[in-house]
Amino acid sequence: MFAIPGHGEDCANFFYGVLGDDCYDLACNRNIFHGCIPDGLLPIADDPFGNQICISLSLADAGSIHFWDHELEFAPEQAVDPSVGWLRRVHSQPAGR
């Protein structure tokens, strides 16, 4: 679970990897969302609703985590305060809670 400022909490459903020609592959998802998600953001995971969790590759905020709502297609929200480490803000929650 992680907080999205102004939008509540969300959770990662699946983190993408290097899986070749697979829908959970980093490169595949970068190509799928090219033109939708701003340049400089790489989708690294999805939530249970198909929204994307992205990491910034831009020099100005490299490593910051952003949330992209696929239904609204608004500019991605920064999902985690950059002064707090991403992994310290994410916590696991047992299924069904």
Side-chain angles (χ1 to χ4, degrees), residues 16 22-34 37 42-44 46 52:
Y16 305 137
D22 185 272
C23 64
Y24 294 113
D25 181 69
L26 284 165
C28 179
N29 277 281
R30 184 175 191 161
N31 291 335
I32 289 170
F33 293 104
H34 178 75
I37 293 177
L42 175 66
I44 59 169
D46 66 0
Q52 299 299 301

Side-chain angles (χ1 to χ4, degrees), residues 16 29 33 37 43-47 50-54 66-70:
Y16 305 137
N29 277 281
F33 293 104
I37 293 177
I44 59 169
D46 66 0
D47 75 359
N51 301 310
Q52 299 299 301
I53 301 158
C54 304
H66 297 261
F67 177 81
W68 181 78
D69 186 320
H70 77 284

Side-chain angles (χ1 to χ4, degrees), residues 58-94:
S58 299
L59 291 177
D61 65 347
S64 63
I65 303 299
H66 297 261
F67 177 81
W68 181 78
D69 186 320
H70 77 284
E71 291 179 5
L72 301 177
E73 293 196 25
F74 57 77
E77 298 279 334
Q78 188 157 340
V80 177
D81 182 336
S83 65
V84 180
W86 158 246
L87 291 176
R88 287 183 289 181
R89 291 291 304 265
V90 175
H91 62 275
S92 63
Q93 184 172 1

Side-chain angles (χ1 to χ4, degrees), residues 2-22:
F2 57 91
I4 303 168
H7 295 281
E9 289 189 336
D10 199 359
C11 65
N13 183 50
F14 193 91
F15 280 87
Y16 305 137
V18 182
L19 305 170
D21 191 21
D22 185 272

